[in-house]
Amino acid sequence: MSLSTELGVQIPVIDIANPTLKTGEELVDAAARYGFVFIRNQGSDISPPEIDKTFETVSTLRLDIPQFPKPRKTLDPKNQRRGDFKEAFNLGEFHGGKAQQPLPDVLIPHEAELGHFTDRCHELCMKILRLFALGLKISPDDGGEDWFLSRHDTSRGPSGSILRLLHYPALLDDADYIPDVDIRAGAHSDYGSITLLFQLPGQPGLEILTPPSTWSPVPVSPLTTASDPSPPILVNIGDLLSYWTNGLLKSTVHRVVFPPEARRGGEDRYSVAYFCHPVNDTKLVPVPSEAIKGLIGGDGAAGGADVMTADEYLKSRLAATYGWGGKK
Ligand SMILES: O=C(O)CCC(=O)C(=O)O
Ligand SMILES: [Fe+2]
């Protein structure tokens, strides 16, 4: 493990190519401290060409796609009056390589490739969740390393997992833009188990809220990964996994800002996020780990009659942010 030392916060960089118990412990430690961790990408999990291909597709996204919502919405409706300067397309689960929703014309030729990428993201999430179970020392009697896997097994039923393609347009000279008010993506936390975030070299902007309340920039490629074939994949804990672990793993608030040089003109920014959720009917009983037992009783998952399903939890988070029926 190494730390990303430049700029602001030091998010650990972890190599999971040949994982051991120590790798699991390091992941749990990073998730408990920061809620964010970089997974080094030297090609063994999701290959750089697969990531490049997905970004080629994302770069075809333009504001004139009818399905893109207008006017713009924000991820932070409580604090922000104006919409985020971004467009995004969410792809739900694929079945047999087929999207289960209408696709905009520009994405139709890329359906199989996006389905494949979604599968690769899900597999990587399973590898990471297995390592979390190892690091949390879940006993073999309770399901051991497989504890999270059976609960994210897509053959058991639908889930809220989403692949989100994001485009943050460059600012045109005549853009209706208010410096220091407008933002590319408003402050928010993610809702699911874990999120994978893919970013492009030279396109920074992500910031995380660090205690007591400082916005710290997150580099795309920390120094120790500068010569890797692809930037590391950024993994963050969502609200559901934080709830499930009674707050041991942190769901950290984050946002995307305009880099200072992009405040007029500037460049488009593209990113891809995979939000991994458990199967809808998964019961969110407390994760059986000694590290979590002492924390039960706060705002986290309760046993007994109060147990929520993953689907109920997601709906409650959407309702708290947008009112019932809203969409993130
Ligand atoms: O585009 C990014 O870098 C972050 C996007 C994000 O946080 C989200 O869509 O939840
Ligand atoms: Fe996010």
Side-chain angles (χ1 to χ4, degrees):
M1 182 186 74
S2 61
L3 293 176
S4 57
T5 46
E6 70 276 40
L7 286 176
V9 68
Q10 302 198 334
I11 295 176
V13 180
I14 298 183
D15 192 335
I16 63 164
N18 297 299
T20 59
L21 169 64
K22 186 161 169 273
T23 318
E25 289 170 349
E26 287 180 353
L27 277 173
V28 168
D29 188 56
R33 275 174 205 265
Y34 305 99
F36 273 78
V37 57
F38 282 110
I39 300 293
R40 204 157 172 195
N41 189 10
Q42 301 193 83
S44 59
D45 290 305
I46 305 186
S47 74
E50 280 173 285
I51 297 172
D52 294 348
K53 186 119 201 61
T54 305
F55 272 112
E56 259 172 53
T57 301
V58 180
S59 67
T60 63
L61 297 181
R62 283 292 171 265
L63 288 164
D64 51 8
I65 294 176
Q67 286 93 334
F68 282 137
K70 285 180 189 176
R72 294 188 318 264
K73 291 203 306 188
T74 174
L75 287 177
D76 184 16
K78 294 217 169 73
N79 298 303
Q80 236 178 267
R81 310 272 297 273
R82 288 164 56 89
D84 291 343
F85 277 60
K86 70 155 198 275
E87 56 181 347
F89 194 82
N90 288 339
L91 291 148
E93 288 183 326
F94 285 70
H95 291 163
K98 289 259 163 239
Q100 303 299 297
Q101 67 197 86
L103 294 181
D105 291 347
V106 284
L107 293 185
I108 290 171
H110 303 287
E111 183 170 12
E113 155 213 323
L114 289 167
H116 178 72
F117 191 74
T118 303
D119 289 346
R120 306 289 287 123
C121 287
H122 191 75
E123 284 159 23
L124 177 56
C125 288
M126 294 306 98
K127 184 171 181 185
I128 295 166
L129 286 169
R130 180 186 286 279
L131 287 169
F132 276 133
L134 196 65
L136 288 167
K137 302 184 176 57
I138 298 179
S139 140
D141 294 343
D142 288 318
E145 285 173 40
D146 289 340
W147 199 84
F148 289 111
L149 304 202
S150 52
R151 291 163 171 87
H152 290 78
D153 177 356
T154 49
S155 69
R156 283 188 40 238
S159 80
S161 296
I162 278 175
L163 184 74
R164 176 175 295 165
L165 314 178
L166 288 136
H167 171 217
Y168 302 90
L171 281 176
L172 300 176
D173 280 341
D174 60 353
D176 168 27
Y177 166 69
I178 309 178
D180 301 320
V181 170
D182 286 328
I183 192 158
R184 280 186 149 163
H188 68 282
S189 53
D190 297 345
Y191 295 158
S193 303
I194 55 176
T195 304
L196 305 181
L197 181 69
F198 300 85
Q199 306 177 86
L200 285 175
Q203 300 190 358
L206 184 71
E207 295 187 336
I208 68 172
L209 195 59
T210 49
S213 58
T214 309
W215 285 109
S216 303
V218 177
V220 173
S221 303
L223 284 179
T224 52
T225 65
S227 51
D228 289 356
S230 200
I233 300 166
L234 192 56
V235 177
N236 63 288
I237 304 302
D239 295 342
L240 183 146
L241 185 54
S242 185
Y243 171 84
W244 216 353
T245 57
N246 279 274
L248 177 71
L249 306 188
K250 303 281 178 306
S251 175
T252 299
V253 172
H254 51 284
R255 67 180 188 179
V256 181
V257 296
F258 289 100
E261 69 277 14
R263 295 211 164 179
R264 273 283 161 235
E267 278 189 38
D268 297 271
R269 178 179 189 270
Y270 297 96
S271 65
V272 176
Y274 180 71
F275 302 94
C276 185
H277 287 247
V279 172
N280 283 345
D281 64 7
T282 303
K283 291 193 164 58
L284 300 181
V285 293
V287 175
S289 160
E290 287 301 322
I292 290 165
K293 269 196 186 128
L295 306 169
I296 291 175
D299 290 337
D306 291 337
V307 75
M308 270 200 203
T309 63
D311 185 41
E312 285 164 353
Y313 183 81
L314 176 59
K315 287 190 175 128
S316 76
R317 289 296 293 111
L318 289 166
T321 311
Y322 299 109
W324 280 106
K327 272 207 176 121
K328 190 181 171 206

